Structures are given as C-alpha cells and as structure tokens.
Amino acid sequence: MEETSLLRLISLISLLSRSSAGLTVSPSRSQFFRGESVTLICEDEIRSDGWTVRRNTTRGTRTECGDKWGEADGSTCNITLFPYDTGLYWCESMSGSSSSSSSIQLSVSGGSVILQSPVLPVMEGDDVTLSCRAKNPTHNLPAAFFKNGVFIGNESSGHMTLLHVSSSDDGLYKCNVKGHGESPSSRISVKGQRKTFNFSSAHFSTSCLPPGPAGLPPAGLLSVLHLHFPHGVFIWTQGQR
Ligand SMILES: *[C@@H]1O[C@H](CO)[C@@H](O)[C@H](O)[C@H]1NC(C)=O
C-alpha cells in the first residue's frame, strides 16, 4: 500500500519533469547594455542535453541559437547583446516535440540606463529589488521609478525594494536617471506561492526503507518533498528524525 503510493509519487514526478525544462539566465536580469554578454542554459532534471534556445525578435521568429545569432554549446547559449537582440527567449526540445519552457523577455538598451529586475517570475511574498543603473558612472545614481507608466517614487540610492510582492505588483517597470535617460520597460510577473507538499515520514518508514536497529525506522528518513511547479523543478529533502 505504502509502496504503491511511493511508486505513484515517483511516476508523477517523472511525468512533471519530463515535459518541462527550466531556462536559467546568467547574469539573472532582464535588461542589458549594448555589448554585454548573457548565458542562457536549458536545464532539465532528467537529461542535460536535447534542448535548444530559440527566440522571437524583430529579425525573425523561432530562430535557433547558433544559427545566425549566439553561440550554442549543448543546451547552453552565449550571446553578446545588441539592441536588435531584444525579444522573447525560450528552451525547446530538439526532437521538435511540443516540449518547451516558458519564455523570458530580454531587453537590450541602446541608451545609457537600464533597470535591473528579475527576469524570471517572482514568488508571491518575496521581496524584489529593482536597481536603476547608468552606464557611466557605474555606481548607483538617484533614480525615478515607474510602473505601467505611472511614477511610483524617487530613490536616492537608485534601488527600490518591493516588499512581499503580490499579484498587484505585476506590471511593466522602468526607471529614469536625470541627465542620463530612461531604461527600457520590463515586466515583473508574480506567480502564486510555492506549492509544498509535506509527507510525514510514516508514509515511507516501513515498507520503502530498510528498518533501523530494533525495528525502529532508520534515521535520516526521506520525509519532505518539495515540488516547485513553475519551471518543473523539484527538490528532494532528506529529513532527520
Ligand atoms: C514566436 O512567434 C511565433 C510566430 O509569431 C508565435 O507563434 C509564437 O507563439 C512566439 N513564441 C513565443 C514564446 O511568444
């Protein structure tokens, strides 16, 4: 009985992970100055290869990394960015099946101000820091911040922190540094809370793991399983009794 539920759980996990890849962006932000480099990595818990980065820009749709833009190395794509690289990027399985990750927006400024904001969706309840950066000088200057075109505040440090974000913080953000100019706009999307399932160690103790001394459940039982759905990421946690 307990063995059956564990098997079901494992099939559920493989089902979830097989159909999705996560896209990692390094450095992790959505805006770049002309000439900066970015690395996009397609990560999959099961296979590390078999994914390719594709994009939609004004120069073409669904074009593949390594073909006219970017340098592909397995499931990794390196790009030296220019304003025409602004667009949507995602991972797609090479087999051409319907598997793909959610897409991200990268914006390359032709000007001298960028907004550093999270490129991946943020979780409800997280604190999110927006940084307004000028190209020169590189230290942060006082900046004005805007959400959906509406002024939301001046920050002398150039940083604005949104505390405990909720869906109402979802929107298009940009900033402005006096005498330097305005950044492109980037969307901050807020996802629902992490879904965490807790399984009591009792579910796993007797039939799935070898018994400990004197028939007691062994120490270090697998007791907690977190499933992070947005990018198909899952983490096993070893629980101590
Ligand atoms: C890329 O562009 C194609 C053609 O317009 C469209 O069908 C597709 O949905 C776009 N992909 C993304 C991730 O927006």
Side-chain angles (χ1 to χ4, degrees):
M1 174 68 182
E2 283 162 4
E3 212 150 356
T4 315
S5 46
L6 181 65
L7 285 176
R8 280 203 192 122
L9 191 64
I10 290 168
S11 352
L12 171 70
I13 292 158
S14 36
L15 203 74
L16 287 169
S17 53
R18 196 184 304 136
S19 56
S20 57
L23 178 56
T24 305
V25 186
S26 175
S28 185
R29 54 183 152 102
S30 52
Q31 295 190 10
F32 295 85
F33 289 119
R34 174 198 295 270
E36 284 190 307
S37 293
V38 69
T39 302
L40 305 178
I41 307 166
C42 299
E43 281 176 328
D44 180 342
E45 291 288 331
I46 305 288
R47 296 164 303 161
S48 60
D49 57 353
W51 296 93
T52 185
V53 177
R54 290 186 181 270
R55 73 179 193 182
N56 282 355
T57 66
T58 54
R59 294 200 162 186
T61 55
R62 246 188 114 243
T63 57
E64 189 177 336
C65 178
D67 179 21
K68 300 210 175 91
W69 62 271
E71 268 179 48
D73 176 11
S75 295
T76 298
C77 180
N78 289 300
I79 320 164
T80 302
L81 295 161
F82 290 90
Y84 53 74
D85 293 309
T86 293
L88 282 172
Y89 291 74
W90 69 93
C91 297
E92 208 169 289
S93 80
M94 295 236 252
S95 61
S97 68
S98 54
S99 303
S100 53
S101 69
S102 40
S103 59
I104 54 147
Q105 166 84 33
L106 295 184
S107 299
V108 187
S109 171
S112 58
V113 176
I114 58 169
L115 177 70
Q116 292 190 337
S117 62
V119 60
L120 298 175
V122 295
M123 293 290 170
E124 214 168 86
D126 284 355
D127 294 343
V128 174
T129 298
L130 309 177
S131 298
C132 197
R133 244 185 76 195
K135 203 170 194 174
N136 208 347
T138 52
H139 64 78
N140 290 87
L141 298 165
F145 291 84
F146 300 83
K147 177 189 172 193
N148 297 330
V150 178
F151 172 76
I152 52 169
N154 280 312
E155 294 289 341
S156 56
S157 63
H159 304 288
M160 174 176 273
T161 300
L162 308 173
L163 295 172
H164 308 298
V165 295
S166 67
S167 55
S168 64
D169 292 302
D170 217 289
L172 277 176
Y173 290 79
K174 66 180 180 184
C175 67
N176 191 307
V177 178
K178 220 174 235 164
H180 292 259
E182 192 167 275
S183 74
S185 292
S186 282
R187 175 162 296 277
I188 291 180
S189 49
V190 182
K191 286 275 154 85
Q193 282 176 325
R194 277 187 186 91
K195 292 191 172 58
T196 302
F197 299 92
N198 289 305
F199 294 89
S200 89
S201 55
H203 284 129
F204 299 94
S205 60
T206 49
S207 57
C208 305
L209 292 164
L216 292 169
L221 285 180
L222 175 67
S223 61
V224 186
L225 170 68
H226 300 274
L227 292 175
H228 294 182
F229 281 109
H231 301 288
V233 177
F234 56 90
I235 298 166
W236 292 90
T237 308
Q238 192 88 7
Q240 295 293 330
R241 301 200 77 229

